[in-house]
Amino acid sequence: MLDPDTMAIITGAAGTLSADAVRAGIPKLRDGLKRVRVTLARAIRLAGPDEQGNALAAYDATAAAILERRPTEIETQLTQARSELATQLERILTAYLAAYPEAKSELAILASSAGTARRTYIQSSHDQSTFVGGDLQGDLTINHGERRD
């Protein structure tokens, strides 16, 4: 069992990576998953070819399962995808740090960017708008209706 500090780093790094994968929403989910795969491969660079291959194969299986789903409610799917990715990434990074404790400081850097990770908010009503890091992406019309005194 790893110490609580190391587990916090793993959780932070997994959270940062999974948030990065889904931040652009459903239309760019495939791109986000690819981007995170590249980051993960760099993060576990100390692992041997077999270990790295196994870790990336586990990640790929999770990513493929997410992409095979039919889009349902956007918020639900993104939340579920982020949760599944975070769980898989925690498994991968836990095994990695158990084998390569000297990589802890590198993963800590990745985990520390969690506070600056951009958040995606989806607002739906008659229309749909996406906010990334508080910035509106696309158009937004707010209709408060007629004022009645």
Side-chain angles (χ1 to χ4, degrees):
M1 184 71 183
L2 299 173
D3 64 274
D5 255 4
T6 302
M7 291 308 296
I9 289 170
I10 289 168
T11 302
T16 298
L17 290 172
S18 61
D20 184 40
V22 302
R23 75 180 158 114
I26 296 297
K28 302 230 178 192
L29 184 58
R30 184 177 305 277
D31 294 340
L33 292 168
K34 286 179 185 177
R35 184 177 53 251
V36 168
R37 186 186 195 282
V38 169
T39 303
L40 177 62
R42 278 192 302 241
I44 60 172
R45 65 180 176 71
L46 297 179
D50 288 342
E51 292 170 307
Q52 198 173 54
N54 291 338
L56 293 175
Y59 175 83
D60 291 343
T62 300
I66 289 168
L67 291 172
E68 285 177 8
R69 278 194 213 109
R70 297 188 87 139
T72 55
E73 189 178 326
I74 293 172
E75 268 185 85
T76 303
Q77 187 172 359
L78 290 176
T79 301
Q80 187 176 8
R82 182 175 178 183
S83 176
E84 288 176 29
L85 280 174
T87 300
Q88 184 61 265
L89 289 164
E90 284 177 15
R91 287 182 192 128
I92 292 168
L93 296 175
T94 298
Y96 178 70
L97 281 182
Y100 303 95
E102 65 272 20
K104 182 177 174 179
S105 62
E106 290 178 37
L107 287 184
I109 293 168
L110 181 59
S112 69
S113 65
T116 60
R118 299 182 69 146
R119 294 184 180 189
T120 300
Y121 300 92
I122 310 273
Q123 173 264 325
S124 298
S125 56
H126 295 293
D127 200 359
Q128 182 176 341
S129 299
T130 303
F131 294 85
V132 178
D135 299 326
L136 174 66
Q137 306 296 315
D139 297 326
L140 174 65
T141 303
I142 299 175
N143 184 355
H144 295 286
E146 292 181 30
R147 184 176 174 177
R148 297 180 188 185
D149 294 321

